[in-house]
Short mmCIF file of all heavy atoms in Angstrom, two decimals:
data_model
loop_
_atom_site.label_atom_id
_atom_site.label_comp_id
_atom_site.label_asym_id
_atom_site.label_seq_id
_atom_site.Cartn_x
_atom_site.Cartn_y
_atom_site.Cartn_z
N MET A 19 -42.98 12.60 -10.20
CA MET A 19 -42.37 11.55 -9.48
C MET A 19 -41.11 11.12 -10.23
O MET A 19 -41.06 11.15 -11.45
CB MET A 19 -43.36 10.36 -9.38
CG MET A 19 -42.88 9.29 -8.47
SD MET A 19 -44.18 8.07 -8.28
CE MET A 19 -44.37 8.16 -6.54
N ALA A 20 -40.06 10.74 -9.53
CA ALA A 20 -38.79 10.39 -10.10
C ALA A 20 -38.88 9.01 -10.75
O ALA A 20 -39.52 8.10 -10.26
CB ALA A 20 -37.71 10.40 -9.04
N ASN A 21 -38.18 8.88 -11.86
CA ASN A 21 -38.08 7.59 -12.54
C ASN A 21 -36.79 6.93 -12.12
O ASN A 21 -35.70 7.27 -12.59
CB ASN A 21 -38.13 7.79 -14.07
CG ASN A 21 -38.13 6.47 -14.79
OD1 ASN A 21 -38.32 5.42 -14.19
ND2 ASN A 21 -37.94 6.54 -16.09
N ILE A 22 -36.87 5.98 -11.18
CA ILE A 22 -35.68 5.33 -10.67
C ILE A 22 -35.56 3.96 -11.30
O ILE A 22 -36.45 3.12 -11.18
CB ILE A 22 -35.74 5.19 -9.12
CG1 ILE A 22 -35.86 6.59 -8.50
CG2 ILE A 22 -34.54 4.46 -8.60
CD1 ILE A 22 -36.11 6.58 -7.02
N ASP A 23 -34.42 3.73 -12.00
CA ASP A 23 -34.19 2.46 -12.68
C ASP A 23 -32.94 1.83 -12.08
O ASP A 23 -31.85 2.36 -12.21
CB ASP A 23 -33.99 2.72 -14.17
CG ASP A 23 -33.89 1.41 -14.93
OD1 ASP A 23 -34.24 0.36 -14.40
OD2 ASP A 23 -33.41 1.47 -16.10
N PHE A 24 -33.12 0.70 -11.39
CA PHE A 24 -32.00 0.04 -10.73
C PHE A 24 -31.32 -0.98 -11.61
O PHE A 24 -30.34 -1.57 -11.21
CB PHE A 24 -32.49 -0.63 -9.43
CG PHE A 24 -32.91 0.36 -8.40
CD1 PHE A 24 -34.24 0.49 -8.00
CD2 PHE A 24 -31.97 1.17 -7.79
CE1 PHE A 24 -34.62 1.40 -7.05
CE2 PHE A 24 -32.33 2.07 -6.82
CZ PHE A 24 -33.67 2.20 -6.45
N ARG A 25 -31.82 -1.23 -12.82
CA ARG A 25 -31.20 -2.24 -13.68
C ARG A 25 -29.84 -1.82 -14.18
O ARG A 25 -28.95 -2.65 -14.29
CB ARG A 25 -32.14 -2.56 -14.86
CG ARG A 25 -33.34 -3.39 -14.43
CD ARG A 25 -34.21 -3.65 -15.63
NE ARG A 25 -35.04 -2.47 -15.78
CZ ARG A 25 -35.62 -2.08 -16.90
NH1 ARG A 25 -35.43 -2.78 -18.01
NH2 ARG A 25 -36.37 -1.01 -16.96
N ASP A 26 -29.65 -0.55 -14.50
CA ASP A 26 -28.40 -0.07 -15.07
C ASP A 26 -27.50 0.61 -14.06
O ASP A 26 -26.56 1.30 -14.43
CB ASP A 26 -28.69 0.89 -16.23
CG ASP A 26 -29.41 0.20 -17.37
OD1 ASP A 26 -29.18 -1.00 -17.55
OD2 ASP A 26 -30.18 0.87 -18.07
N ILE A 27 -27.74 0.42 -12.79
CA ILE A 27 -26.97 1.15 -11.78
C ILE A 27 -25.51 0.65 -11.75
O ILE A 27 -24.61 1.44 -11.51
CB ILE A 27 -27.62 1.04 -10.39
CG1 ILE A 27 -27.04 2.10 -9.45
CG2 ILE A 27 -27.46 -0.34 -9.79
CD1 ILE A 27 -27.88 2.35 -8.25
N GLY A 28 -25.26 -0.63 -12.05
CA GLY A 28 -23.93 -1.13 -12.06
C GLY A 28 -23.09 -0.51 -13.15
O GLY A 28 -21.93 -0.13 -12.95
N THR A 29 -23.67 -0.35 -14.33
CA THR A 29 -22.93 0.27 -15.44
C THR A 29 -22.71 1.75 -15.19
O THR A 29 -21.70 2.30 -15.59
CB THR A 29 -23.64 0.05 -16.77
OG1 THR A 29 -24.96 0.57 -16.68
CG2 THR A 29 -23.72 -1.43 -17.13
N ASP A 30 -23.67 2.39 -14.53
CA ASP A 30 -23.52 3.80 -14.20
C ASP A 30 -22.37 4.03 -13.22
O ASP A 30 -21.58 4.95 -13.37
CB ASP A 30 -24.80 4.39 -13.62
CG ASP A 30 -25.91 4.50 -14.67
OD1 ASP A 30 -25.59 4.46 -15.88
OD2 ASP A 30 -27.07 4.59 -14.26
N ILE A 31 -22.28 3.14 -12.23
CA ILE A 31 -21.19 3.26 -11.25
C ILE A 31 -19.85 3.02 -11.90
O ILE A 31 -18.87 3.71 -11.66
CB ILE A 31 -21.43 2.31 -10.06
CG1 ILE A 31 -22.64 2.78 -9.25
CG2 ILE A 31 -20.20 2.20 -9.18
CD1 ILE A 31 -23.06 1.85 -8.16
N ASP A 32 -19.80 2.02 -12.80
CA ASP A 32 -18.55 1.76 -13.53
C ASP A 32 -18.16 2.94 -14.40
O ASP A 32 -16.99 3.31 -14.47
CB ASP A 32 -18.71 0.52 -14.43
CG ASP A 32 -18.81 -0.76 -13.61
OD1 ASP A 32 -18.36 -0.77 -12.47
OD2 ASP A 32 -19.33 -1.77 -14.16
N ALA A 33 -19.13 3.58 -15.03
CA ALA A 33 -18.85 4.75 -15.86
C ALA A 33 -18.33 5.91 -14.99
O ALA A 33 -17.42 6.62 -15.40
CB ALA A 33 -20.09 5.16 -16.65
N MET A 34 -18.94 6.09 -13.84
CA MET A 34 -18.47 7.16 -12.94
C MET A 34 -17.06 6.86 -12.46
O MET A 34 -16.24 7.79 -12.36
CB MET A 34 -19.41 7.27 -11.74
CG MET A 34 -20.73 7.94 -12.08
SD MET A 34 -21.76 8.29 -10.65
CE MET A 34 -22.34 6.66 -10.23
N ARG A 35 -16.75 5.60 -12.17
CA ARG A 35 -15.38 5.26 -11.73
C ARG A 35 -14.40 5.53 -12.86
O ARG A 35 -13.29 6.03 -12.62
CB ARG A 35 -15.32 3.80 -11.34
CG ARG A 35 -15.93 3.52 -10.00
CD ARG A 35 -15.80 2.06 -9.62
NE ARG A 35 -16.45 1.82 -8.34
CZ ARG A 35 -16.96 0.65 -8.00
NH1 ARG A 35 -16.89 -0.37 -8.81
NH2 ARG A 35 -17.54 0.50 -6.82
N ARG A 36 -14.74 5.20 -14.09
CA ARG A 36 -13.87 5.43 -15.23
C ARG A 36 -13.63 6.93 -15.41
O ARG A 36 -12.52 7.38 -15.65
CB ARG A 36 -14.47 4.84 -16.51
CG ARG A 36 -14.13 3.40 -16.72
CD ARG A 36 -14.46 2.95 -18.16
NE ARG A 36 -15.84 3.19 -18.51
CZ ARG A 36 -16.84 2.36 -18.27
NH1 ARG A 36 -16.60 1.23 -17.65
NH2 ARG A 36 -18.07 2.65 -18.68
N ARG A 37 -14.71 7.74 -15.28
CA ARG A 37 -14.55 9.20 -15.41
C ARG A 37 -13.68 9.77 -14.32
O ARG A 37 -12.84 10.64 -14.56
CB ARG A 37 -15.94 9.87 -15.40
CG ARG A 37 -16.55 9.92 -16.79
CD ARG A 37 -17.81 10.75 -16.78
NE ARG A 37 -18.93 9.79 -16.81
CZ ARG A 37 -20.00 9.83 -16.03
NH1 ARG A 37 -20.17 10.78 -15.17
NH2 ARG A 37 -20.92 8.91 -16.11
N ALA A 38 -13.86 9.28 -13.09
CA ALA A 38 -13.03 9.77 -11.98
C ALA A 38 -11.57 9.38 -12.17
O ALA A 38 -10.65 10.20 -11.91
CB ALA A 38 -13.57 9.20 -10.66
N ARG A 39 -11.34 8.17 -12.63
CA ARG A 39 -9.96 7.71 -12.87
C ARG A 39 -9.31 8.54 -13.98
O ARG A 39 -8.16 8.96 -13.88
CB ARG A 39 -9.94 6.23 -13.25
CG ARG A 39 -8.59 5.61 -13.20
CD ARG A 39 -8.62 4.11 -13.48
NE ARG A 39 -9.67 3.39 -12.79
CZ ARG A 39 -10.64 2.72 -13.41
NH1 ARG A 39 -10.71 2.64 -14.71
NH2 ARG A 39 -11.56 2.08 -12.70
N HIS A 40 -10.08 8.80 -15.04
CA HIS A 40 -9.58 9.61 -16.14
C HIS A 40 -9.27 11.04 -15.68
O HIS A 40 -8.23 11.61 -16.04
CB HIS A 40 -10.60 9.63 -17.27
CG HIS A 40 -10.18 10.47 -18.44
ND1 HIS A 40 -9.15 10.14 -19.26
CD2 HIS A 40 -10.66 11.66 -18.90
CE1 HIS A 40 -9.00 11.08 -20.17
NE2 HIS A 40 -9.91 12.02 -19.98
N ALA A 41 -10.13 11.60 -14.87
CA ALA A 41 -9.91 12.97 -14.35
C ALA A 41 -8.65 12.99 -13.50
O ALA A 41 -7.90 13.96 -13.54
CB ALA A 41 -11.13 13.44 -13.58
N GLY A 42 -8.44 11.95 -12.73
CA GLY A 42 -7.24 11.87 -11.90
C GLY A 42 -5.98 11.81 -12.73
O GLY A 42 -4.96 12.47 -12.43
N HIS A 43 -6.03 11.05 -13.84
CA HIS A 43 -4.85 10.96 -14.72
C HIS A 43 -4.61 12.29 -15.38
O HIS A 43 -3.45 12.71 -15.55
CB HIS A 43 -5.07 9.88 -15.77
CG HIS A 43 -5.03 8.49 -15.23
ND1 HIS A 43 -4.01 8.01 -14.43
CD2 HIS A 43 -5.87 7.44 -15.39
CE1 HIS A 43 -4.23 6.77 -14.11
NE2 HIS A 43 -5.37 6.38 -14.68
N VAL A 44 -5.67 12.98 -15.80
CA VAL A 44 -5.51 14.27 -16.45
C VAL A 44 -4.90 15.26 -15.47
O VAL A 44 -3.99 16.04 -15.81
CB VAL A 44 -6.86 14.79 -17.01
CG1 VAL A 44 -6.77 16.24 -17.42
CG2 VAL A 44 -7.31 13.91 -18.15
N ARG A 45 -5.39 15.26 -14.24
CA ARG A 45 -4.86 16.18 -13.22
C ARG A 45 -3.40 15.90 -12.94
O ARG A 45 -2.60 16.86 -12.81
CB ARG A 45 -5.69 16.01 -11.96
CG ARG A 45 -5.31 16.92 -10.83
CD ARG A 45 -5.78 18.31 -11.10
NE ARG A 45 -5.52 19.13 -9.94
CZ ARG A 45 -5.27 20.39 -10.00
NH1 ARG A 45 -5.28 21.00 -11.14
NH2 ARG A 45 -5.02 21.08 -8.92
N ARG A 46 -3.01 14.65 -12.86
CA ARG A 46 -1.62 14.30 -12.62
C ARG A 46 -0.74 14.73 -13.80
O ARG A 46 0.39 15.24 -13.60
CB ARG A 46 -1.49 12.78 -12.41
CG ARG A 46 -0.16 12.37 -11.83
CD ARG A 46 -0.13 10.90 -11.46
NE ARG A 46 -1.18 10.56 -10.52
CZ ARG A 46 -2.11 9.61 -10.73
NH1 ARG A 46 -2.09 8.92 -11.84
NH2 ARG A 46 -3.03 9.36 -9.85
N ALA A 47 -1.22 14.54 -15.02
CA ALA A 47 -0.48 14.98 -16.19
C ALA A 47 -0.29 16.48 -16.23
O ALA A 47 0.77 16.99 -16.58
CB ALA A 47 -1.19 14.49 -17.45
N GLN A 48 -1.33 17.21 -15.84
CA GLN A 48 -1.23 18.67 -15.80
C GLN A 48 -0.18 19.11 -14.77
O GLN A 48 0.60 20.03 -15.03
CB GLN A 48 -2.58 19.28 -15.47
CG GLN A 48 -3.56 19.23 -16.63
CD GLN A 48 -4.95 19.71 -16.22
OE1 GLN A 48 -5.28 19.73 -15.03
NE2 GLN A 48 -5.76 20.06 -17.22
N ALA A 49 -0.18 18.46 -13.63
CA ALA A 49 0.79 18.81 -12.56
C ALA A 49 2.21 18.52 -13.04
O ALA A 49 3.14 19.30 -12.79
CB ALA A 49 0.48 18.04 -11.30
N MET A 50 2.40 17.40 -13.76
CA MET A 50 3.71 17.09 -14.25
C MET A 50 4.15 18.09 -15.34
O MET A 50 5.35 18.44 -15.42
CB MET A 50 3.75 15.65 -14.80
CG MET A 50 3.63 14.65 -13.67
SD MET A 50 3.83 12.90 -14.00
CE MET A 50 3.52 12.65 -15.67
N LEU A 51 3.22 18.56 -16.16
CA LEU A 51 3.56 19.58 -17.15
C LEU A 51 3.97 20.89 -16.51
O LEU A 51 4.91 21.54 -16.96
CB LEU A 51 2.39 19.80 -18.10
CG LEU A 51 2.19 18.73 -19.18
CD1 LEU A 51 0.88 18.98 -19.92
CD2 LEU A 51 3.36 18.77 -20.16
N VAL A 52 3.27 21.27 -15.46
CA VAL A 52 3.63 22.49 -14.72
C VAL A 52 5.02 22.35 -14.13
O VAL A 52 5.87 23.26 -14.20
CB VAL A 52 2.59 22.82 -13.65
CG1 VAL A 52 3.09 23.89 -12.70
CG2 VAL A 52 1.29 23.24 -14.29
N ALA A 53 5.30 21.19 -13.50
CA ALA A 53 6.65 20.93 -12.93
C ALA A 53 7.71 20.97 -13.99
O ALA A 53 8.79 21.55 -13.77
CB ALA A 53 6.63 19.61 -12.19
N ALA A 54 7.45 20.40 -15.15
CA ALA A 54 8.45 20.40 -16.24
C ALA A 54 8.67 21.82 -16.74
O ALA A 54 9.81 22.19 -17.03
CB ALA A 54 7.98 19.51 -17.37
N GLY A 55 7.62 22.61 -16.80
CA GLY A 55 7.77 24.01 -17.24
C GLY A 55 8.60 24.82 -16.25
O GLY A 55 9.46 25.60 -16.66
N LEU A 56 8.36 24.61 -14.96
CA LEU A 56 9.14 25.34 -13.96
C LEU A 56 10.61 24.90 -14.00
O LEU A 56 11.50 25.73 -13.86
CB LEU A 56 8.56 25.09 -12.56
CG LEU A 56 7.20 25.77 -12.29
CD1 LEU A 56 6.65 25.32 -10.95
CD2 LEU A 56 7.34 27.27 -12.35
N ALA A 57 10.84 23.61 -14.20
CA ALA A 57 12.22 23.14 -14.28
C ALA A 57 12.92 23.73 -15.51
O ALA A 57 14.10 24.10 -15.44
CB ALA A 57 12.24 21.59 -14.35
N THR A 58 12.20 23.82 -16.59
CA THR A 58 12.77 24.42 -17.82
C THR A 58 13.11 25.87 -17.59
O THR A 58 14.17 26.35 -18.01
CB THR A 58 11.77 24.27 -18.97
OG1 THR A 58 11.49 22.88 -19.18
CG2 THR A 58 12.33 24.85 -20.25
N CYS A 59 12.24 26.60 -16.92
CA CYS A 59 12.51 28.02 -16.61
C CYS A 59 13.76 28.14 -15.73
O CYS A 59 14.58 29.04 -15.92
CB CYS A 59 11.30 28.65 -15.92
SG CYS A 59 9.93 28.93 -17.01
N GLY A 60 13.90 27.22 -14.81
CA GLY A 60 15.09 27.24 -13.93
C GLY A 60 16.36 26.98 -14.73
O GLY A 60 17.39 27.68 -14.52
N VAL A 61 16.33 26.04 -15.64
CA VAL A 61 17.51 25.73 -16.46
C VAL A 61 17.85 26.93 -17.34
O VAL A 61 19.02 27.30 -17.48
CB VAL A 61 17.26 24.45 -17.31
CG1 VAL A 61 18.33 24.26 -18.34
CG2 VAL A 61 17.18 23.23 -16.41
N VAL A 62 16.86 27.53 -17.94
CA VAL A 62 17.10 28.70 -18.80
C VAL A 62 17.67 29.85 -17.98
O VAL A 62 18.56 30.58 -18.41
CB VAL A 62 15.81 29.09 -19.54
CG1 VAL A 62 15.94 30.46 -20.22
CG2 VAL A 62 15.42 28.03 -20.54
N ALA A 63 17.15 30.03 -16.78
CA ALA A 63 17.66 31.12 -15.91
C ALA A 63 19.12 30.89 -15.53
O ALA A 63 19.94 31.84 -15.58
CB ALA A 63 16.80 31.24 -14.65
N VAL A 64 19.48 29.67 -15.19
CA VAL A 64 20.87 29.36 -14.86
C VAL A 64 21.75 29.55 -16.08
O VAL A 64 22.84 30.16 -15.98
CB VAL A 64 20.99 27.91 -14.31
CG1 VAL A 64 22.45 27.48 -14.24
CG2 VAL A 64 20.31 27.80 -12.97
N ALA A 65 21.30 29.13 -17.25
CA ALA A 65 22.09 29.32 -18.46
C ALA A 65 22.27 30.81 -18.77
O ALA A 65 23.36 31.25 -19.16
CB ALA A 65 21.42 28.62 -19.65
N ALA A 66 21.25 31.60 -18.54
CA ALA A 66 21.33 33.05 -18.78
C ALA A 66 22.35 33.70 -17.85
O ALA A 66 23.15 34.56 -18.27
CB ALA A 66 19.98 33.69 -18.63
N VAL A 67 22.34 33.29 -16.59
CA VAL A 67 23.29 33.83 -15.61
C VAL A 67 24.70 33.46 -16.00
O VAL A 67 25.63 34.27 -15.96
CB VAL A 67 22.94 33.35 -14.18
CG1 VAL A 67 24.08 33.65 -13.23
CG2 VAL A 67 21.65 33.98 -13.72
N LEU A 68 24.90 32.21 -16.40
CA LEU A 68 26.23 31.78 -16.79
C LEU A 68 26.73 32.55 -18.05
O LEU A 68 27.89 32.91 -18.15
CB LEU A 68 26.26 30.28 -17.05
CG LEU A 68 26.13 29.40 -15.80
CD1 LEU A 68 26.03 27.93 -16.18
CD2 LEU A 68 27.27 29.63 -14.83
N LEU A 69 25.83 32.73 -19.00
CA LEU A 69 26.21 33.45 -20.21
C LEU A 69 26.53 34.92 -19.93
O LEU A 69 27.42 35.49 -20.55
CB LEU A 69 25.11 33.33 -21.26
CG LEU A 69 25.03 31.96 -21.97
CD1 LEU A 69 23.82 31.93 -22.89
CD2 LEU A 69 26.30 31.69 -22.74
N THR A 70 25.78 35.55 -19.03
CA THR A 70 26.07 36.95 -18.72
C THR A 70 27.38 37.10 -17.97
O THR A 70 28.06 38.11 -18.10
CB THR A 70 24.93 37.58 -17.90
OG1 THR A 70 24.72 36.80 -16.71
CG2 THR A 70 23.66 37.68 -18.71
N ASN A 71 27.78 36.10 -17.21
CA ASN A 71 29.07 36.15 -16.49
C ASN A 71 30.23 35.92 -17.43
O ASN A 71 31.35 36.40 -17.19
CB ASN A 71 29.09 35.14 -15.35
CG ASN A 71 28.23 35.57 -14.19
OD1 ASN A 71 27.94 36.75 -14.04
ND2 ASN A 71 27.81 34.62 -13.38
N VAL A 72 30.03 35.14 -18.48
CA VAL A 72 31.10 34.85 -19.43
C VAL A 72 31.39 36.06 -20.32
O VAL A 72 32.51 36.38 -20.64
CB VAL A 72 30.72 33.62 -20.30
CG1 VAL A 72 31.71 33.42 -21.43
CG2 VAL A 72 30.67 32.37 -19.44
N ILE A 73 30.36 36.77 -20.72
CA ILE A 73 30.50 37.88 -21.66
C ILE A 73 30.95 39.14 -20.98
O ILE A 73 31.03 39.50 -19.97
CB ILE A 73 29.17 38.15 -22.40
CG1 ILE A 73 28.85 36.93 -23.23
CG2 ILE A 73 29.28 39.39 -23.25
CD1 ILE A 73 27.53 37.03 -23.95
#
């Protein structure tokens, strides 16, 4: 039989909300890092094209 304890359900829900919020922040940070990496690659590519045209 399951042991159901309703006394700590409020703290469990709060902990789940904190974990979900943290996971959302981590996901957003990862997406911003990917976007920054792609932007950096674009800048390097443009610089390479400009340097090859100069030389």
